[in-house]
Amino acid sequence: MARIDELITEEHELRSRATGKGLTDEDRTRLRDIEQRLDQCWDLLRQRRARAEFGENPGDATVRPVSEVESYRQ
């Protein structure tokens, strides 16, 4: 959760700069990376919670590739 909070904070900072002076190419790349990492983090958290709910080991959850988690419908 702490990592998710860090990524969200950085995402909000970049998005607030985007509406002001705009983002550099580096900033846009970083924002895209953050969005992908957040997708992976949320997916991992959901996996862990589901495993715990059904009596399985949450530690067995694995990080799925960006290509897989980005195609999920919210």
Side-chain angles (χ1 to χ4, degrees):
M1 289 301 297
R3 182 64 181 140
I4 289 173
D5 288 339
E6 291 170 5
L7 289 169
I8 289 171
T9 299
E10 189 175 355
E11 179 188 31
H12 287 170
E13 177 186 319
L14 286 168
R15 288 191 186 284
S16 71
R17 287 198 330 225
T19 58
K21 64 181 180 180
L23 296 177
T24 65
D25 288 341
E26 184 179 308
D27 289 338
R28 281 189 289 281
T29 299
R30 179 64 185 151
L31 182 57
R32 189 170 41 253
D33 181 56
I34 289 169
E35 290 169 342
Q36 292 172 345
R37 288 178 188 265
L38 276 169
D39 288 344
Q40 288 178 305
C41 287
W42 286 120
D43 176 66
L44 183 60
L45 182 60
R46 283 190 289 274
Q47 286 183 64
R48 291 179 57 83
R49 288 179 174 169
R51 286 180 175 280
E53 181 180 343
F54 292 100
E56 298 177 17
N57 181 359
D60 289 342
T62 58
V63 176
R64 294 186 239 216
V66 169
S67 60
E68 186 174 341
V69 298
E70 282 199 326
S71 63
Y72 294 160
R73 299 194 87 148
Q74 298 295 323

